[in-house]
Amino acid sequence: MTGWFSFLHGEATAGDVLALARVERVLRDAGAAYDVVWSPGFRADGTHFADVDPAAYSRLVFVCGPVHGAQVEELHRRFAHCVRVAVGVSVVDAGSPAVTGFHRVLARDGAGDGPGLDLAARAPALPAVPVVGVVLTHGQHEYGGRRRHEEVAAVLTRWLAGRDCARLELETRLDAHDWRLCGTPAQLEAVLSRLDLVVTDRLHGLVLALRAGVPALAVDPVEGGAKVTAQARACGWPALVPAERLTKASAEGSAGGSAEVSAEGTLERWWDWCLADGRAEAARIGAGFHAAESVPDGVPDAADGLVAALREASEAAAGR
């Protein structure tokens, strides 16, 4: 079985891969054996065209996408001895060799008949995965030589790439003109409140996640700890990883030691906690933030002392 997910310079979209899953189920139910060809750029450990002996196959199925262009035409030449069927595809030009080279075309659109349901719609149900917001900063140059932001971001993003989760890169910076960014705090909070977890090295990534009742796996990107560590302590939030735990472990692991496992183990331990007990703890802390607005002895912050400080400063200035 092939598709645009098979070509070296093609692309593997979620829809195409789900369409493939639908066809796989049909073939399995029919007791038909098959192999799937993957692009080496998408699945390096899969079967690639370079590994395939066309003589070993009697049938070729092309799944989803447009049947158009030189790459599809090359399939007809290379697998000329095979029965070739396209399924769930778009027909752009019915007279093109890419289309006429198939013995049968089960089109979803463009073939003259009414459009058919895309194969992805009836693909097998998928397992639930956590939705994770990622809030990172590459700034904060005021910390000078204590900055470990780039190293921390490199370890975090490499680790996140291997997690089975839906990752959503977020930015706390607001912009009323850039459609990719939130324009108000309410818009950002609306996104955060729908997440399962936030991974962040920003103070406000931590605070805004907890304010929304969402657990945060926080990393302080400043060696020795700075405002992220201080804020986690102020919030009573335990899921905090020091920069040194990641950067030192990463360096030792790259030198052939076992510390890289320790760094990943630390992240995985807090990941698991955040998605389990951390949910209730984040909800409790977030509720405490909001309750403090109406409860005199709630969670304090610096603004509680502002009026008194203004009065005292004014009196001191008048008495000079």
Side-chain angles (χ1 to χ4, degrees):
M1 285 203 292
T2 71
W4 286 97
F5 49 80
S6 306
F7 300 137
L8 177 60
H9 299 297
E11 59 179 17
T13 70
D16 287 356
V17 174
L18 282 173
L20 171 65
R22 164 71 177 142
V23 175
E24 285 187 286
R25 169 169 283 186
V26 169
L27 293 181
R28 285 197 304 269
D29 290 347
Y34 62 87
D35 291 322
V36 177
V37 178
W38 294 101
S39 166
F42 179 62
R43 291 193 177 170
D45 58 347
T47 298
H48 310 139
F49 276 126
D51 309 320
V52 170
D53 176 10
Y57 300 90
S58 60
R59 291 168 291 184
L60 178 143
V61 176
F62 187 90
V63 181
C64 199
V67 279
H68 182 78
Q71 290 169 297
V72 179
E73 294 174 20
E74 174 60 24
L75 287 179
H76 296 311
R77 288 189 289 270
R78 188 174 180 194
F79 293 86
H81 66 285
C82 290
V83 172
R84 300 179 301 283
V85 176
V87 57
V89 295
S90 293
V91 175
V92 179
D93 177 2
S96 74
V99 176
T100 59
F102 287 104
H103 294 88
R104 288 287 305 277
V105 176
L106 305 176
R108 70 182 171 198
D109 55 70
D113 299 325
L117 187 67
D118 184 77
L119 296 175
R122 291 181 57 198
L126 300 173
V129 297
V131 182
V132 180
V134 183
V135 185
L136 302 177
T137 176
H138 299 283
Q140 301 179 345
H141 294 278
E142 62 271 23
Y143 291 103
R146 296 171 59 203
R147 292 183 73 258
R148 298 294 179 268
H149 294 62
E150 285 73 18
E151 299 98 310
V152 164
V155 173
L156 276 177
T157 52
R158 183 173 63 249
W159 175 73
L160 281 168
R163 308 298 297 177
D164 187 14
C165 64
R167 293 166 289 275
L168 182 62
E169 186 177 15
L170 296 174
E171 174 60 70
T172 60
R173 181 172 64 86
L174 303 178
D175 193 316
H177 307 289
D178 188 339
W179 67 270
R180 294 166 296 183
L181 300 176
C182 293
T184 68
Q187 293 171 10
L188 180 58
E189 187 166 281
V191 176
L192 292 171
S193 66
R194 289 164 169 79
L195 301 176
D196 296 304
L197 172 64
V198 170
V199 175
T200 185
D201 65 358
R202 303 196 71 150
L203 180 154
H204 281 130
L206 167 63
V207 173
L208 298 182
L210 295 179
R211 173 186 163 86
V214 175
L217 197 174
V219 178
D220 194 324
V222 180
E223 185 174 343
K227 58 186 179 182
V228 176
T229 297
Q231 196 59 213
R233 185 178 301 119
C235 295
W237 183 249
L240 174 74
V241 180
E244 299 90 321
R245 181 66 61 86
L246 298 190
T247 57
K248 180 181 178 182
S250 179
E252 292 177 355
S254 299
S258 60
E260 181 73 24
V261 176
S262 176
E264 293 185 356
T266 299
L267 292 170
E268 289 173 6
R269 177 170 64 88
W270 283 121
W271 174 282
D272 292 340
W273 181 84
C274 284
L275 292 175
D277 295 344
R279 295 178 186 268
E281 183 65 8
R284 183 190 68 78
I285 291 174
F289 290 168
H290 297 294
E293 297 175 7
S294 57
V295 179
D297 58 350
V299 181
D301 64 20
D304 291 322
L306 177 59
V307 173
L310 286 171
R311 182 174 58 250
E312 293 168 2
S314 299
E315 292 172 353
R320 283 194 201 134

